[in-house]
Structures are given as C-alpha cells and as structure tokens.
Amino acid sequence: MALTLPAHPDPLTERLHASGLLHELAHGLGGPFHYLLPERFATNLAGFRAALTDAGVEGRVYYAKKANKADAFIDRCAAAGAGVDVASLGELREALGHGVRGEDLVVTGPAKSEQLLSVAVRQGALIAVDALDELDRLLARTGERPARVLLRRHPPSQRRSRFGLDDAQLQQALDRCAQVGDTVRMEGFSFHLSGYEIQARADLAGELVELCLKARMSGLQADRISIGGGFPVDYVAADTWDAFLTEQGPAHYHGQKSFAAGDFYPYHSPVAGSDALRAILAARPGGTGASLATRLREAGVMLLLEPGRALLDRAGASVFRVQGVKDRTGYGIVTVDGTSLSLSEQWFDSEYLPEPQLLPARSAETTPGPFPACVGGASCLDSDLLTWRKVPFPARPRVGDLLVYPNTAGYQMDSNESPFHELPLPPKVVIDHPDGGSRPRWRLDR
Ligand SMILES: *Cc1c(COP(=O)(O)O)cnc(C)c1O
C-alpha cells in the first residue's frame, strides 16, 4: 500500500553511508546535520560549461547563491573562475569574501537597496535592472565607474510575474541608457522563468537576441543575455514517479492529508541539468529557423545562465537521528531530532518526496519490514512533519538510527531553517575524498 520513491542510486553516497562516518558525526555533533559534497558541485559546473563549449557558444555560468547558504560551494566558484548570482548585500559580501571577483557577480532581485547598488557598481558587478526607478537610481550616480547593467524582461508567457520590464518600459529604459552615455554600460537583457520548460526559455532567449541587435543600433553594447535558472533536477526514476502520481491519495499520508499532484516539484525529469541547457541551445526559438546556439553565434551574443538547484544536484544530504517510534493503526510515527524547517518543502504546502534512507545504528538487530511510517519533527506543532507520506522503511526504525534525506543541497536543507524551540541550526559538514581516494574526510563549513 505504501508508495516508494527512492532517489536514484548513487555509489559515492552509498560508500559514505557504509563507512560509519555519519553515525560518528551524529554522535559528535549531537543533533541533525547536513553533509555537502563540493566535488559534485564542481562536476555539475563542468557539465554546464561543456554544454556551452560543445554548442560552440560563448557563455558564463553564475551560481545562484540563494539555493544554499554554505561557503563550500562559493569556494568552488572562486577556484573555478565561475560567477555567482547574488540578490542581497549579505550574499554579495560572502561571494567577495571567498574570492569571487566583483566582475564575476550578477546582482538580481527586485528593488535593490541603495547600498547593494553602490557596492555592486564599485565592484564592477553586472546588475540585472528590474524596474525603471531602479535604473534611474543608477543613472543618478556620478563620478564613479559606469554601472554595468542588464535589463530584465518581464516574461510575456508569465503575465502574473512581478519581475521585469514590459515592452513599453523596456523601450523607455533603452532610451534612457542611450541618452546618458557613460554613466551606464547597457550590456544586454535577462529573464528568469518559473517552471522548467525548455521551449519557453529558447523562445524568450531568441527574442532577447533580437532585442540586442536592435539596441546596438542606438549605440548600446548589448552583447549578452541571461536566461536565468530553472534547469530541472532528476531525483527519482520515471516508473516510480509515474506510479506515485497516479496512485497517491489521502490514504498514503498521515492524517489523511491530501496533496494535489500538481503541487509537487517534478521530482522526475527526463532531461535535466546540463542536458536541459543542451536542449535549450538546440531548440529553435519560435519553433522555426536556426537553433538558439546558431542565433547567439551569428549575433555575437554571449549566453549567461544562473543555475542554482541544478549545480547542487547530488551535492548534499540531510541527516536526522531517530528519537522515538510509535504506532498508529497500520503505520508508525517516527520522530527525529530536528524539524521540517530543515527540509523546507512543507512551507509550500507540499512535501519533499525523495524518501529518507534508514541507516540502522550498527549494533542493533532490526525487525524486518516493510514498516510504513511518517516522519515527525521534534517540535510541539502538529503540522511539523518532515514527511507526511507513510514511507515503507525496510525495517522498523529504532532510537539512534539515522534517516538520511537524499539530495537536499538545492533549496531543501537551509532555505527556511530557524532556531525554533531553541534547537540549534544543523551544522553543515563538508565531505571530500582527498586525492580521489575512497576514504572520506570531513570539516565544518565556515
Ligand atoms: C532563483 C533564481 C535563479 C536560480 O533558479 P534555479 O531554479 O535554482 O536554477 C536564477 N536566477 C534568478 C534571477 C533567480 O531568482
């Protein structure tokens, strides 16, 4: 009866889980923790860059920092000469402090504060302008180096988006940029779409290439476009995902809770990560004519992208210790030593579906399962469940066992964490394998 949704098998994490290190860390840290695998981040980054190279397109990758607060990933960006997409002064400071150069930053987000704009201009960062009044604030600056700007396009296919400039506003922005001469360097256009559609991104990118060609006629630089983020991540296999979507209903959740299938992140995606970039580059904007890659090349337009979640694919997991197990009719309630704030998804009235793996404490003999159970947090809120779904654990979990939620580095682990109930925030443990060896080594992030 219980539906299963295991993450794709991952030999690296399986070796780590078998090594016993996670139990040692749970003991030493005395609470839940997240582990990070920056090697994976580096591999994902290299994948995006290879997709650009293979398509013969000049481009740059900016890691969208909001997807994870850890320093370890920023360190990787600095080391690899990759860019970072920041949306606050704090994120900008972190990036600079870890060695990312100012000119390798893109500053996004709505109505940026005066201080953020000012630091961004002085550091030579690219600024994605979201509104006319924001552009005016940049134009009013004097006596400094020119502000490098992209004009963010309001997506015509997503009318309800609160971001970007519509057609009339774009025209006004272009006129103002053309009039002021050197205060502002108009380098191009940007967008960020919600959802994960490939053709929609190729279509809008094609329009922005045309906009660049037009803007150049007014003497503007306009030689790059940013297509934002939203490269999907593939967490689970196609057949289990399809079965889940068809069959899931209130009987599969604690408290007969119901989730609409459309409220879940698409945890299976046939084309994901850098393959999605390859597909966007190969697609024909507007459905006809040359591919996006060809149009970019012919127009001499550089392609910028801002992946967050996709650069963090399989680059981390969240570890909780079982603190209690009790029975309800037909299933159990496992309570762990952290809260659903460390898994984020409940905030969107949804659920993180790739299921936690049970790592029994080594000495314990287990009662064979399957043992269906939901997973509750160590708080006094009835709604604090990490997993409402009755997950079919292979054995009855016991106090001291670990639950490892897979692939949580992209948005899940820390975007909504708070020290609720005076529970300390779970630390982040950076794990690597020196010299490519099999023995894992760890340190704390920060
Ligand atoms: C959030 C965001 C991103 C990253 O989105 P992902 O889905 O994590 O790839 C990129 N650009 C902008 C402007 C964003 O707001």
Side-chain angles (χ1 to χ4, degrees):
M1 227 264 304
L3 293 167
T4 186
L5 271 175
H8 284 301
D10 179 350
L12 182 68
T13 57
E14 276 161 27
R15 275 208 309 280
L16 176 65
H17 296 175
S19 73
L21 178 62
L22 299 188
H23 285 280
E24 273 177 46
L25 287 167
H27 173 75
L29 298 169
F33 62 95
H34 307 291
Y35 72 76
L36 310 176
L37 300 168
E39 294 159 75
R40 280 280 165 69
F41 180 90
T43 308
N44 294 334
L45 174 62
F48 275 100
R49 287 174 157 179
L52 291 168
T53 311
D54 291 350
V57 167
E58 198 192 341
R60 282 202 65 87
V61 183
Y62 296 81
Y63 162 53
K65 180 162 183 355
K66 74 169 183 285
N68 194 293
K69 297 192 184 104
D71 291 338
F73 302 122
I74 297 296
D75 289 334
R76 289 291 170 141
C77 290
V84 179
D85 164 9
V86 298
S88 71
L89 197 59
E91 289 183 348
L92 185 146
R93 202 183 290 130
E94 284 291 302
L96 286 178
H98 282 264
V100 179
R101 300 179 316 165
E103 63 245 50
D104 292 335
L105 299 176
V106 59
V107 185
T108 60
K112 295 170 248 327
S113 75
E114 209 50 46
Q115 210 186 351
L116 176 56
L117 287 178
S118 164
V119 178
V121 172
R122 289 184 191 138
Q123 290 294 331
L126 196 51
I127 301 167
V129 171
D130 187 62
L132 286 174
D133 61 344
E134 194 172 73
L135 180 64
D136 288 340
R137 285 193 283 142
L138 288 172
L139 293 174
R141 304 179 64 83
T142 49
E144 290 183 42
R145 59 197 287 193
R148 299 175 56 214
V149 306
L150 298 175
L151 300 177
R152 182 163 173 174
R153 173 86 172 99
H154 178 263
S157 62
Q158 297 183 348
R159 282 269 156 237
R160 284 154 67 186
S161 170
R162 71 184 173 104
F163 295 105
L165 301 152
D166 65 22
D167 284 327
Q169 291 164 342
L170 265 187
Q171 193 50 56
Q172 288 184 52
L174 286 169
D175 292 344
R176 288 180 205 180
C177 290
Q179 281 156 17
V180 295
D182 288 344
T183 335
V184 156
R185 220 162 79 197
M186 209 299 278
E187 299 195 6
F189 300 90
S190 72
F191 66 79
H192 171 69
L193 294 179
S194 35
Y196 301 94
E197 248 189 281
I198 282 169
Q199 188 63 41
R201 287 179 166 75
D203 290 346
L204 197 46
E207 282 181 39
L208 296 198
V209 172
E210 296 306 312
L211 282 177
C212 282
L213 295 177
K214 259 174 65 188
R216 285 181 201 166
M217 295 196 290
S218 329
L220 298 168
Q221 178 179 326
D223 62 359
R224 61 202 68 196
I225 63 170
S226 173
I227 59 170
F231 301 90
V233 167
D234 185 34
Y235 294 84
V236 302
D239 51 348
T240 47
W241 180 239
D242 292 342
F244 172 83
L245 287 183
T246 333
E247 290 169 35
Q248 67 99 24
H252 294 108
Y253 301 96
H254 167 69
Q256 296 281 310
K257 192 171 169 75
S258 64
F259 290 101
D263 289 344
F264 295 122
Y265 178 88
Y267 287 101
H268 172 70
S269 197
V271 181
S274 57
D275 287 338
L277 174 60
R278 287 175 191 273
I280 291 168
L281 287 167
R284 298 163 195 281
T288 56
S291 68
L292 177 61
T294 303
R295 292 194 205 185
L296 288 163
R297 263 197 315 271
E298 286 178 356
V301 170
M302 195 194 294
L303 186 73
L304 318 182
L305 39 138
E306 302 155 2
R309 188 188 288 264
L311 283 175
L312 296 168
D313 182 25
R314 299 181 307 147
S318 300
V319 184
F320 301 88
R321 193 148 49 158
V322 174
Q323 211 155 267
V325 184
K326 65 184 184 185
D327 295 287
R328 285 282 187 269
T329 313
Y331 69 102
I333 300 178
V334 172
T335 303
V336 294
D337 59 353
T339 74
S340 60
L341 294 169
S342 295
L343 214 55
S344 300
E345 206 64 14
Q346 307 296 356
W347 279 54
F348 305 103
D349 207 12
S350 183
E351 165 135 317
Y352 187 63
L353 290 172
E355 66 202 27
Q357 202 183 334
L358 177 67
L359 298 188
R362 280 211 259 171
S363 56
E365 328 104 42
T366 53
T367 320
F371 179 82
C374 61
V375 182
S379 78
C380 300
L381 294 184
D382 226 352
S383 58
D384 178 22
L385 271 83
L386 289 79
T387 301
W388 290 79
R389 187 164 58 94
K390 300 165 189 172
V391 172
F393 289 106
R396 184 186 172 95
R398 297 159 55 129
V399 172
D401 289 353
L402 300 182
L403 292 190
V404 184
Y405 280 85
N407 208 353
T408 55
Y411 295 108
Q412 308 308 142
M413 60 173 56
D414 68 10
S415 64
N416 293 322
E417 280 187 326
S418 91
F420 186 50
H421 269 308
E422 312 288 329
L423 291 168
L425 289 186
K428 295 202 178 76
V429 178
V430 182
I431 292 178
D432 65 5
H433 298 80
D435 310 320
S438 60
R439 191 182 155 85
R441 185 175 68 167
W442 70 273
R443 66 175 173 85
L444 291 177
D445 190 65
R446 281 163 212 260

